[in-house]
Amino acid sequence: MTAGSPGAPRLLEIDGLVTHFPLPRGTFGARRKVVRAVDGVSFAVEAGEMVALVGESGSGKTTTAQSVLRMVEPTAGTIRFRGQDITALGRRPLKPVRRRMQVVYQDPYESLDPRFRIGRSVAEPLAVHGVGTRAERRDVVLRALERAGLTPAEMFADRYPHELSGGQRQRAAIAAALVLGPDLLIADEPVSMLDVSVRAGVLAVFDELRRSGLGILMITHDLSTAVHHADRIAVMYLGRIVEEGPAAEVVRNPAHPYTRALVAAVPRVGHAGRPIEIRPGEPPDPAAVPDGCRFHPRCPIAVEECARVDPALLPAAGPASHRAACPITRQEDT
Ligand SMILES: Nc1ncnc2c1ncn2[C@@H]1O[C@H](COP(=O)(O)OP(=O)(O)O)[C@@H](O)[C@H]1O
Ligand SMILES: [Mg+2]
């Protein structure tokens, strides 16, 4: 389902992204620690494509999103949006780029002011960017509410956030993200605060937006959401993508031991093969990333080499676009 003509710039292309956070210096002149939240991440999102970034809490998903949006400063790497390098763009030239790249947060109150009617909050980005007359804005707002599935839009525009259900509130936040007509939506765990019964409906809104041509980066810790909705899955572990490929392929033939463990932990995602369990032990700490393969202390199939060599993402068995960072399973599978 990958759109984009050959030679045309990709919608979003991240190359070697690194975002480190220095921690305050310890006592007794201890070496200053650095949180390696994002530690060399590369991926792309095309128009009309949903890419799911999957990984456990603390793996660096939100920091990746915030780096792409330039809400935190990347330490290294490049971010290209429709071919333009935006990594070091200043505030003014960044503004028109930010119009085309919008975010949906886990908590809809990040985008909705509880004191204002929905219509006013959704119109706010238009006002900030000086788009249209008052009457024109009203029209654009109503259309955005409709795209997010809030109909009749006039009625929802006049409600206050607290008068809406959780699912409706998140739809209003999606409308606020759509109102400027973006090309890319970054959704950071958009349904994890919602009641299970309304999640599918909200995810269906993203499905429809993707069909209409938007690129979507869907951040989730839930592999089953990823496999049911995304075209591609990128699995993150301790600041790195350890596996990436077509969604069904990654889940049916996971090539990295960490992905295999994730898949084994999710009932009904359709993986029949060897389940692998992560070894118990210390939770991963991005301020103390292990040498070699960063997963090796928890990996049930690690060998001596894994403690020394930091593996690159290389083609796995199957489609060429399926890649994983594990030389051990690559030897087994090929
Ligand atoms: N501003 C910050 N300063 C220091 N550490 C941070 C900061 N933001 C995030 N972190 C740390 O970076 C790691 C990755 O966090 P995050 O990107 O939020 O992961 P995720 O979204 O996958 O749960 C975590 O260990 C988190 O505590
Ligand atoms: Mg997060």
Side-chain angles (χ1 to χ4, degrees):
M1 251 238 40
T2 303
S5 45
R10 290 172 144 176
L11 181 59
L12 177 70
E13 191 166 19
I14 309 301
D15 192 18
L17 182 70
V18 174
T19 303
H20 288 174
F21 300 109
L23 290 179
R25 200 178 295 275
T27 44
F28 308 116
R31 238 180 77 204
R32 194 184 180 117
K33 276 197 168 183
V34 169
V35 179
R36 291 154 70 176
V38 179
D39 207 25
V41 158
S42 305
F43 65 91
V45 181
E46 305 278 8
E49 184 184 49
M50 187 191 292
V51 175
L53 196 56
V54 179
E56 67 197 314
S57 175
S59 55
K61 305 179 301 294
T62 293
T63 306
T64 299
Q66 293 188 333
S67 305
V68 169
L69 293 157
R70 294 281 319 278
M71 292 158 73
V72 301
E73 278 313 302
T75 310
T78 51
I79 303 158
R80 278 194 189 78
F81 186 65
R82 298 157 104 209
Q84 182 187 10
D85 185 346
I86 64 160
T87 323
L89 225 50
R91 207 173 53 84
R92 281 174 71 94
L94 195 60
K95 199 172 170 188
V97 176
R98 284 298 312 277
R99 266 188 77 164
R100 326 229 110 249
M101 199 195 263
Q102 292 285 313
V103 58
V104 176
Y105 297 97
Q106 181 176 345
D107 181 354
Y109 278 112
E110 297 275 350
S111 342
L112 305 173
D113 191 318
R115 298 166 303 166
F116 298 155
R117 295 179 201 274
I118 295 296
R120 177 162 170 193
S121 280
V122 174
E124 181 72 15
L126 296 170
V128 169
H129 286 267
V131 179
T133 63
R134 245 186 123 82
E136 285 165 349
R137 284 180 202 164
R138 174 91 187 161
D139 223 50
V140 174
V141 165
L142 294 178
R143 268 186 281 126
L145 289 169
E146 279 164 11
R147 279 182 95 186
L150 292 176
T151 51
E154 288 85 352
M155 183 188 88
F156 284 102
D158 289 333
R159 295 255 166 102
Y160 286 92
H162 75 264
E163 299 178 295
L164 269 51
S165 70
Q168 289 168 341
R169 234 178 348 258
Q170 189 58 300
R171 286 170 188 267
I174 294 171
L178 289 175
V179 80
L180 288 166
D183 303 310
L184 176 73
L185 277 190
I186 298 182
D188 191 354
E189 309 263 11
V191 300
S192 52
M193 265 177 70
L194 300 180
D195 226 64
V196 174
S197 61
V198 301
R199 286 182 185 176
V202 173
L203 289 168
V205 173
F206 289 102
D207 288 341
E208 191 52 43
L209 292 170
R210 176 194 55 185
R211 267 193 291 278
S212 78
L214 268 81
I216 297 174
L217 179 61
M218 173 67 68
I219 293 176
T220 174
H221 62 264
D222 178 24
L223 193 61
S224 62
T225 298
V227 72
H228 288 120
H229 295 271
D231 301 292
R232 303 180 61 78
I233 292 178
V235 179
M236 237 179 136
Y237 184 81
L238 214 46
R240 281 275 177 84
I241 290 173
V242 295
E243 180 157 4
E244 197 225 342
E249 177 65 20
V250 165
V251 169
R252 224 175 282 134
N253 296 307
H256 194 282
Y258 177 62
T259 315
R260 289 183 181 171
L262 286 183
V263 169
V266 182
R268 294 182 292 110
V269 294
H271 179 61
R274 310 153 276 186
I276 284 191
E277 274 176 31
I278 296 180
R279 274 152 66 175
E282 300 287 302
D285 176 7
V289 174
D291 286 338
C293 170
R294 55 196 64 210
F295 184 61
H296 89 265
R298 293 169 88 193
C299 183
I301 61 168
V303 299
E304 181 268 336
E305 166 196 347
C306 303
R308 287 186 289 108
V309 185
D310 188 0
L313 260 185
L314 292 174
S321 58
H322 183 192
R323 299 184 303 157
C326 179
I328 309 304
T329 58
R330 188 174 313 113
Q331 275 168 19
E332 285 172 10
D333 291 351
T334 53

mmCIF file of all heavy atoms in Angstrom, residues 56-63 106 188-189 219, ligand 2:
data_model
loop_
_atom_site.group_PDB
_atom_site.id
_atom_site.type_symbol
_atom_site.label_atom_id
_atom_site.label_comp_id
_atom_site.label_asym_id
_atom_site.label_seq_id
_atom_site.Cartn_x
_atom_site.Cartn_y
_atom_site.Cartn_z
ATOM 1 N N GLU A 56 7.979 -1.304 24.069
ATOM 2 C CA GLU A 56 7.515 -1.162 25.443
ATOM 3 C C GLU A 56 7.780 0.265 25.934
ATOM 4 O O GLU A 56 8.506 1.031 25.299
ATOM 5 C CB GLU A 56 8.170 -2.197 26.355
ATOM 6 C CG GLU A 56 9.657 -2.004 26.539
ATOM 7 C CD GLU A 56 10.341 -3.256 27.098
ATOM 8 O OE1 GLU A 56 9.827 -3.854 28.051
ATOM 9 O OE2 GLU A 56 11.405 -3.621 26.569
ATOM 10 N N SER A 57 7.178 0.585 27.070
ATOM 11 C CA SER A 57 7.329 1.903 27.650
ATOM 12 C C SER A 57 8.818 2.188 27.901
ATOM 13 O O SER A 57 9.553 1.328 28.372
ATOM 14 C CB SER A 57 6.538 1.928 28.959
ATOM 15 O OG SER A 57 6.742 3.142 29.607
ATOM 16 N N GLY A 58 9.255 3.384 27.535
ATOM 17 C CA GLY A 58 10.648 3.765 27.742
ATOM 18 C C GLY A 58 11.560 3.440 26.576
ATOM 19 O O GLY A 58 12.757 3.730 26.628
ATOM 20 N N SER A 59 11.013 2.874 25.488
ATOM 21 C CA SER A 59 11.882 2.490 24.368
ATOM 22 C C SER A 59 12.247 3.676 23.470
ATOM 23 O O SER A 59 13.095 3.548 22.596
ATOM 24 C CB SER A 59 11.229 1.376 23.540
ATOM 25 O OG SER A 59 9.941 1.741 23.097
ATOM 26 N N GLY A 60 11.599 4.830 23.698
ATOM 27 C CA GLY A 60 11.995 6.028 22.951
ATOM 28 C C GLY A 60 11.008 6.458 21.874
ATOM 29 O O GLY A 60 11.326 7.307 21.046
ATOM 30 N N LYS A 61 9.797 5.930 21.924
ATOM 31 C CA LYS A 61 8.803 6.243 20.881
ATOM 32 C C LYS A 61 8.397 7.708 20.921
ATOM 33 O O LYS A 61 8.392 8.394 19.900
ATOM 34 C CB LYS A 61 7.561 5.344 21.056
ATOM 35 C CG LYS A 61 7.872 3.855 21.068
ATOM 36 C CD LYS A 61 6.630 2.988 21.265
ATOM 37 C CE LYS A 61 5.848 3.242 22.545
ATOM 38 N NZ LYS A 61 6.573 2.878 23.789
ATOM 39 N N THR A 62 8.023 8.185 22.104
ATOM 40 C CA THR A 62 7.586 9.577 22.219
ATOM 41 C C THR A 62 8.725 10.536 21.889
ATOM 42 O O THR A 62 8.518 11.550 21.210
ATOM 43 C CB THR A 62 7.025 9.843 23.633
ATOM 44 O OG1 THR A 62 5.829 9.085 23.795
ATOM 45 C CG2 THR A 62 6.715 11.316 23.853
ATOM 46 N N THR A 63 9.922 10.222 22.330
ATOM 47 C CA THR A 63 11.058 11.095 22.020
ATOM 48 C C THR A 63 11.311 11.132 20.516
ATOM 49 O O THR A 63 11.641 12.187 19.958
ATOM 50 C CB THR A 63 12.316 10.643 22.788
ATOM 51 O OG1 THR A 63 12.003 10.576 24.182
ATOM 52 C CG2 THR A 63 13.468 11.609 22.581
ATOM 53 N N GLN A 106 -2.018 11.231 23.348
ATOM 54 C CA GLN A 106 -2.782 10.265 24.118
ATOM 55 C C GLN A 106 -3.946 10.955 24.831
ATOM 56 O O GLN A 106 -5.061 10.455 24.850
ATOM 57 C CB GLN A 106 -1.832 9.613 25.120
ATOM 58 C CG GLN A 106 -2.460 8.573 25.989
ATOM 59 C CD GLN A 106 -1.421 7.908 26.883
ATOM 60 O OE1 GLN A 106 -0.220 8.016 26.667
ATOM 61 N NE2 GLN A 106 -1.880 7.222 27.898
ATOM 62 N N ASP A 188 0.443 9.690 19.027
ATOM 63 C CA ASP A 188 1.226 9.064 20.096
ATOM 64 C C ASP A 188 0.286 8.363 21.084
ATOM 65 O O ASP A 188 -0.299 9.012 21.934
ATOM 66 C CB ASP A 188 2.077 10.126 20.802
ATOM 67 C CG ASP A 188 3.120 9.505 21.733
ATOM 68 O OD1 ASP A 188 3.099 8.269 21.917
ATOM 69 O OD2 ASP A 188 3.953 10.268 22.270
ATOM 70 N N GLU A 189 0.135 7.071 20.927
ATOM 71 C CA GLU A 189 -0.757 6.259 21.774
ATOM 72 C C GLU A 189 -2.171 6.853 21.807
ATOM 73 O O GLU A 189 -2.728 7.078 22.893
ATOM 74 C CB GLU A 189 -0.211 6.187 23.216
ATOM 75 C CG GLU A 189 1.244 5.764 23.306
ATOM 76 C CD GLU A 189 1.422 4.279 23.606
ATOM 77 O OE1 GLU A 189 0.432 3.520 23.544
ATOM 78 O OE2 GLU A 189 2.562 3.895 23.877
ATOM 79 N N ILE A 219 2.033 5.630 16.955
ATOM 80 C CA ILE A 219 2.866 5.126 18.043
ATOM 81 C C ILE A 219 2.003 4.329 18.996
ATOM 82 O O ILE A 219 0.946 4.795 19.423
ATOM 83 C CB ILE A 219 3.548 6.301 18.755
ATOM 84 C CG1 ILE A 219 4.552 6.932 17.787
ATOM 85 C CG2 ILE A 219 4.215 5.850 20.050
ATOM 86 C CD1 ILE A 219 5.226 8.148 18.328
HETATM 87 MG MG MG B 2 5.489 7.463 25.029
#
